[in-house]
Amino acid sequence: MSKGRAEAAAGAPGILLRYLQEQNRPYSAQDVFGNLQREHGLGKTAVVKALEQLAQQGKIKEKMYGKQKIYFADQDQFAMVSDADLQGLDAKIVALTAKVQSLQQSCRHMEAEMQKEIQELKKECAGYRERLKNIKAATNHVTPEEKEQVYRERQKYCKEWRKRKRMATELSDAILEGYPKSKKQFFEEVGIETDEDHNVKLPDP
């Protein structure tokens, strides 16, 4: 084990205890590992050991659901919540759920529109590449002005492709800031297909 990984493992109980208290919801060891490994560099073994240690010390609770252990903060440490507070939280959850659904629908619509435009741009770029190829093979039949026009049009459509790809990336990144799952899972749920999925890339400027 490297020095950095060893230090992370040593601090794992404190990190996990604070995380479970702040989130105050049940997690499996795999969930905790997936949520914290990038930020804190914790290995899965260190996470499992730290959770078991905290449970044995009574600092957190654990329950078996089927074959899986679920860990959560000790509820006795939290103040009692009134019915009015619970109703307020329920209302917030409903509002936030509706907002997420609205954002997902908007994202799907925008993605469909952008995918359509990107496909059209790809076709046009392919056409211009073919024209350019033919021009290069028979330069004596094309004027410098015509050649320059083809170059400009190719740059125009590649620029538009790059712009729309950036817009899609910025939109998805904004949604992912509050999305509880990974980027790959979000793309799969929404139905987003990337250039990489189709093994295509922007031509060099």
Side-chain angles (χ1 to χ4, degrees), residues 62-162:
E62 74 173 15
K63 283 189 177 181
M64 290 294 297
Y65 284 90
K67 297 181 180 180
Q68 188 177 46
K69 284 185 179 180
I70 299 297
Y71 300 90
F72 52 92
D74 184 357
Q75 299 301 298
D76 292 339
Q77 66 183 301
F78 299 111
M80 294 296 292
V81 181
S82 68
D83 289 341
D85 290 334
L86 290 175
Q87 291 175 357
L89 289 172
D90 286 338
K92 289 181 179 179
I93 290 171
V94 170
L96 288 171
T97 300
K99 184 176 180 180
V100 169
Q101 292 175 342
S102 176
L103 285 170
Q104 288 177 334
Q105 290 176 352
S106 298
C107 184
R108 290 191 187 100
H109 177 71
M110 291 184 67
E111 174 62 21
E113 291 295 320
M114 284 188 286
Q115 285 289 346
K116 181 180 178 181
E117 292 192 32
I118 287 172
Q119 291 302 321
E120 292 175 356
L121 288 169
K122 287 177 181 176
K123 289 179 182 179
E124 291 191 42
C125 282
Y128 283 115
R129 282 199 295 270
E130 184 64 24
R131 282 182 60 186
L132 189 58
K133 178 181 176 182
N134 294 335
I135 289 170
K136 289 180 177 179
T139 54
N140 58 320
H141 299 301
V142 180
T143 66
E145 290 77 13
E146 290 174 325
K147 184 185 295 187
E148 180 62 27
Q149 177 65 21
V150 171
Y151 275 113
R152 283 200 301 269
E153 289 178 345
R154 176 180 181 274
Q155 290 176 332
K156 170 187 173 184
Y157 287 110
C158 287
K159 180 180 179 181
E160 188 66 20
W161 182 356
R162 187 173 291 103

